[in-house]
Structure formats: structure tokens, C-alpha cells
């Protein structure tokens, strides 16, 4: 893309958080490689006045607390990877991840609000936080339940060498 | 002349909430809006709102609007649409033009003005070419009228409005080529900027639009880097292949009615410019006139709804509808919720600006 630079100057310049910012925030916890279950990963590091993630979680695994501008924190021991928070978050700042789904494949479930939607089995291109093309992914399923209020959640696998880098997929062409 | 106890001007989130609260308290309310559909800004907000669950966060703006309307229906609130308020006289008389043809005067015991805000424009060579428009106008086109304003868009301004409308333009099928921001740091919430960034939209901080070129519509835009004195740095120009330039350079409270009625003005740059002075109950310097929502300082739908409730409750109370104790409890609760909404990094400044307004005594 003509004007995309590979700038990674952080949230307030490039628009996306870089790894240094994420690692410095208590909000961001990448599930350990040996974790069996999927877990919610939150990239909401600014302390904005917002809390639907907390109220949506049936396991009470996400805590914002009384001060609505606290950072949302996931208790990984309580999170069962159900994915309800993924569609509930208006910032589309939550996804589910697991390092080893099988062999060398990682698993991700991310929010997606564009048409057309991908379909099961489709090969998609996975992107990083700057929207840069990273690798191929394979769609496992696309969840469109009514409760998610028109935010689809796409489940996909991709090579786990890119475990932390990948956060979403490239938009599909309209025609 | 017709008479009503409370006339609410503007049926956005602030006006709707004010009308609901006043009606629930027992007052007879007339709600007027110049649009043919009530809801104000809410009906083009197809995204899920941030904020607290108490303020219906996580629900799409358009669905919040529908819920408020259903409540207004249930309370049998009288609503006049296509009804433009052209003036307020004698602190009581509301001059309304209905359906662009019939002039009506309504004598109100209390008036609540909730007219919202208007988009700021930015001037640059070529700014009058078709294809240059407010971000809010582009949002109305895609989400209400379902028309794409163009295929290749430059967004000017990285506040929440700029990034949310950019996201919705992508959803509608347009390509957003770039978002420029004059300040050295992006304005909008990081979760919103991250959304468009991972969709491949580049941000350019310390950049502005220099000019738009084209014969009868926008065919390209030149952007340029600016220094810390906001002066263009020669040699940093870039030409972007775009057919649409959206301006998201902030909003200004729509205060004309209030000022023409004689409400005392006050300057609050952080809240969008001149605003009517008001106290914590949302009463202006004219005791029969209250305000709520973006007119009292540009904020969010959640604060607009709280201010609306406060104004509606206070107006009803001043008419003798609400028992003293009930009022005190309601007032305190609304005040607490507003403080919570105005906390944190982003809210603190607005909280201070509001406090500065209320610290001045008038009336
Ligand atoms: C792109 C965008 C995204 C946003 N996202 C969010 C969000 O995620 N969360 C959030 O909380 N807020 C959000 N907001 C802000 C929110 O929409 C506004 O703060 C809110 O709508 C203000 O409410 P209001 O009732 O004061 O004004 P408005 O909604 O603007 O309503 C004013 C009404 O008054 C009417 N009116 C004006 N003048 C007259 C007159 N003379 N006679 C009769 N009627 C009149 C208008 O027709 C209109 O219906 C967003 C705003 C924009 C533009
Ligand atoms: S994935 Fe389910 S259990 Fe885990 S935090 Fe989200 S809503 Fe809670
Ligand atoms: S719902 Fe999303 S945007 Fe809101 S606080 Fe939770 S993670 Fe952040």
C-alpha cells in the first residue's frame, strides 16, 4: 500500500499499540504457550470510561471495578474462553488466543464487522496490529449468534511462529 | 396561543431523556424536533457505544434511540416532528414553524433546549469542491441514506468522530487512504484508532491538508507535515489519490436559540466554544430555561442523557411536581453518575471545564 509505512511508533502516533506498550500494561496478558483452553486477550490500555466487557462476562473473569476508567483485567484462571466478551466490547479490543491448537498451529477468535464474511474452510490472510500482511490462516468457523448483535466472531488457525503478532484478518474484497 | 408545562427543543439523546424524566415526574411535556425522525445523532451511530452498562454501553447508538422512543411512546409524550424552533421570546414563548408552513406559538412554563452541536469546517484551497464534506455528513449519507459519498477518502482529524466515521466508511465499502491529524498525537480512543489501523489505514500525525484539486469534484488532496508552530514544512507535501475529503475537526454547540433568548454566554474552549452558563441542575441564567447535551458543551451521548435527566427532573421539580426529598436523592444520583462519566484521563478535563462553568454564579 502506497502510504503505509512500517512505522511502529505506538498507539498515539501509529494508531495501534506496539509490543512494548502492551507488555508494559497490566491489561495485556498473552496466554502461556502450554495453556490448554482458549483465553481472552485484551488490548485496551488507555483507561477509557467503558465497561461492557466486565458486565458481559458470565464467569466474572474481567474486572474493571467501581472506577469506570480502570483498565480491564482478565483473571485467566476464571476465563473459559467462551468468547462472549469478544463481541460485547465496543472497541473490538478483545480476541481469544491459544498457542497450540494442533501441531504448529495457533488458534484465534477475533471480532469482524465487514461484509462479505469469510466462510468455514476459507484461506484468509492474517494481519498484525498495523494492518500488515503476516501469513495465511484457515477459517474454522464464523459465529453469528443473535446475542453478539451483528458482530461476527471469526475462529481461525495460523502458524504459531506468529502467535503474538497476528490479531485479525485482511478485509475481503467486496466482489 | 397554545400552552404546555414543559417544551423540550431537540429530540436527541439529551432532549429525549429530559422529556422522559419530566413526564415521569408528572409534567405535561411537548417535545419538538426539526427533523422528520427523532433521535438526533443516535440514528446514524451504527456502532456499539462505549461507556458504562448503566448508560447502555455495548448497545448500538441506533438501538439506544429506538429504546428511548419506545419509552416516550409508552408515556404518551406529545412529539412534534418537522417542527423547527425559530425563536424564544419573553423567556416563555416558543415560536415553532411546523412542516415549513405553519407558524405556532407555544407558551411554556419551562423550556429545555437540547439542540446539540454543529460540525466545524476547515478552509483550504479547493475546500468548496464537491467531495469535501463534514465527517458527520458522510456518516448520515452512508448510515441513513445508504449512499457512499466516494470511494477513496481522506479523513482530516483523528478524534473519535474521525476514526469512527472512517471505520464506518470502510464497512460501507470505501477505501480510507489516510487519516491526518495536525497535533503530534492522535486524539481518539486507542481502541478505535487500532481498529482502523489494523484494517490498513495509515495515520499521519503533525500533518494537515494543504489543498484539494479537481475540476468539478475532488480528484486529489495534498497533505503536508507541519512544525510545532503549525506551519507547513516545505518539501514534505504528498499527493493522495482521493475523491472525498471528510472533515472531522470538532463540533460547536448550537447555541443561537439560547443566546437569542437572552441566556448568558460563557467561553469554554474545551467544551467547544461559547456555551450558555448553567448550574448543576442545568438551569441557565434565565430561570425558566434549561439546557442539556452537546449545547451545554460537546461531550458524549452518555453525558447528554444524564444532563437531560437532570434538566427534566429539575424543571419538573421547579413546577412543584417532585417532592423535595425525592428531588435531592435524584439530583445526587445523577450528579454521581456524571462525575463517574467524566473521570479518568479523557474525562478529567471535561469535568474541570464543567466545574469552572458552575463555579460562576449567575441568574
Ligand atoms: C461520529 C460520532 C460518533 C459518536 N459516538 C459516540 C459514542 O460511541 N458514545 C457516545 O456516548 N457518544 C457518541 N457520540 C456523541 C453523541 O452522538 C452526541 O454527544 C449526542 O448525540 C449529543 O446529544 P444531544 O441530544 O445533545 O444532540 P443531538 O443528538 O445532536 O440532537 C439534537 C437535536 O436537536 C434538533 N434541533 C436542533 N436545532 C433545532 C431547532 N431549532 N428546532 C428543533 N429542533 C432542533 C436536531 O434536529 C437534533 O435532532 C458520537 C458522535 C458522532 C458525531
Ligand atoms: S472469554 Fe468468556 S469467560 Fe473469558 S473473559 Fe471473555 S466472556 Fe469471560
Ligand atoms: S469493553 Fe472493550 S473498550 Fe470497553 S473497557 Fe472493555 S476492553 Fe476496553
Amino acid at each position: 500500500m502506497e502510504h503505509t509505512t512500517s512505522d511502529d511508533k505506538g498507539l498515539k502516533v501509529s494508531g495501534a499499540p506496539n509490543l512494548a506498550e502492551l507488555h508494559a500494561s497490566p491489561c495485556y496478558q498473552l496466554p502461556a504457550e502450554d495453556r490448554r483452553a482458549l483465553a481472552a486477550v485484551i488490548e485496551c490500555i488507555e483507561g477509557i470510561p467503558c465497561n461492557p466487557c466486565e458486565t458481559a462476562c458470565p464467569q466474572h473473569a474481567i474486572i474493571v471495578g467501581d472506577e469506570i476508567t480502570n483498565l480491564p483485567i482478565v483473571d485467566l484462571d476464571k476465563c473459559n474462553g467462551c468468547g462472549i466478551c469478544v463481541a460485547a466490547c465496543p472497541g473490538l479490543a478483545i480476541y481469544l488466543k491459544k498457542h497450540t491448537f494442533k501441531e504448529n498451529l495457533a488458534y484465534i477468535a477475533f471480532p469482524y464487522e465487514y461484509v462479505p464474511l469469510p466462510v468455514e474452510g476459507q484461506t484468509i490472510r492474517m494481519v498484525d496490529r498495523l494492518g500488515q500482511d503476516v501469513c495465511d490462516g484457515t477459517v474454522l468457523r464464523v459465529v453469528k449468534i443473535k446475542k453478539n448483535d451483528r458482530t461476527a466472531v471469526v475462529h481461525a488457525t495460523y502458524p504459531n511462529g506468529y502467535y503474538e503478532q497476528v490479531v485479525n484478518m485482511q478485509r475481503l474484497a467486496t466482489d | 396561543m397554545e400552552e404546555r408545562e414543559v417544551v423540550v427543543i431537540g429530540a436527541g439523546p439529551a432532549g429525549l431523556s429530559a422529556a422522559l424524566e419530566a413526564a415521569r415526574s408528572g409534567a405535561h411535556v411537548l417535545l419538538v424536533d426539526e427533523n422528520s425522525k427523532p433521535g438526533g445523532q443516535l440514528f446514524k451511530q451504527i456502532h456499539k457505544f462505549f461507556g458504562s452498562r448503566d448508560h447502555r454501553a455495548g448497545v448500538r447508538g441506533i438501538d439506544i434511540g429506538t429504546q428511548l422512543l419506545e419509552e416516550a411512546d409508552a408515556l404518551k409524550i406529545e412529539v412534534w416532528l418537522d417542527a423547527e424552533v425559530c425563536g424564544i421570546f419573553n423567556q416563555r414563548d416558543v415560536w415553532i414553524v411546523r412542516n415549513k408552513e405553519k407558524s405556532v406559538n407555544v407558551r411554556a412554563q419551562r423550556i429545555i433546549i437540547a439542540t446539540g452541536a454543529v460540525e466545524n469546517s476547515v478552509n483550504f484551497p479547493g475546500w468548496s469542491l464537491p467531495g469535501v464534506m463534514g465527517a458527520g455528513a458522510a456518516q448520515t449519507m452512508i448510515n441513513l441514506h445508504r449512499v457512499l459519498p466516494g470511494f477513496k477518502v481522506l479523513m482530516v482529524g483523528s478524534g473519535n468522530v474521525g476514526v469512527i466515521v472512517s471505520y464506518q466508511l470502510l464497512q460501507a465499502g470505501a477505501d480510507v487512504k489516510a487519516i491526518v491529524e495536525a497535533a503530534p498525537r492522535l486524539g481518539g480512543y486507542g481502541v478505535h484508532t487500532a481498529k482502523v489501523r489494523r484494517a490498513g489505514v495509515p495515520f499521519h500525525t503533525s500533518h494537515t491538508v494543504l489543498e484539494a484539486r479537481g475540476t468539478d469534484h475532488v480528484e486529489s488532496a495534498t497533505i503536508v507535515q507541519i512544525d510545532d508552530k503549525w506551519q507547513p514544512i516545505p518539501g514534505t507535501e504528498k499527493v493522495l489519490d482521493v475523491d472525498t475529503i471528510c472533515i472531522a475537526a470538532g463540533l460547536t454547540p448550537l447555541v443561537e436559540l439560547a443566546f437569542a433568548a437572552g441566556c448568558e454566554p460563557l467561553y469554554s474552549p474545551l467544551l467547544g466554544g461559547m456555551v450558555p452558563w448553567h448550574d448543576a441542575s442545568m438551569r441557565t441564567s434565565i430561570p425558566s430555561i434549561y439546557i442539556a447535551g452537546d449545547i451545554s458543551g460537546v461531550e458524549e451521548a452518555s453525558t447528554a442523557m444524564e444532563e437531560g435527566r437532570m434538566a427534566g427532573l429539575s424543571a419538573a421539580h421547579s413546577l412543584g411536581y417532585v417532592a423535595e426529598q425525592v428531588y435531592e436523592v435524584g439530583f445526587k444520583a445523577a450528579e454521581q453518575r456524571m462525575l463517574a462519566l467524566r473521570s479518568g484521563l479523557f474525562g478529567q478535563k471535561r469535568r474541570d471545564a464543567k466545574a469552572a462553568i458552575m463555579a460562576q454564579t449567575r441568574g
Side-chain angles (χ1 to χ4, degrees), chain A residues 39-40 56-62 74 78-86 96:
Chain A
C57 175
Q59 308 301 324
H60 307 289
I62 303 181
V74 192
K78 287 190 186 160
C79 171
N80 65 9
C82 70
I84 289 173
C85 57
V86 174
L96 308 178

Side-chain angles (χ1 to χ4, degrees), chain A residues 128-142:
Chain A
D128 66 9
R129 296 172 181 81
L130 296 173
Q132 300 176 117
D133 193 24
V134 177
C135 59
D136 269 343
T138 306
V139 177
L140 294 175
R141 61 198 177 101
V142 179

Side-chain angles (χ1 to χ4, degrees), chain A residues 33-35 98-107 157-163:
Chain A
E33 295 189 4
D34 58 0
R35 185 185 164 101
K98 177 160 89 168
H99 180 270
T100 311
F101 170 62
K102 55 181 178 197
E103 287 155 32
N104 61 346
L105 291 180
Y107 189 118
T157 58
Y158 62 98
N160 60 15
Y162 306 107
Y163 180 46

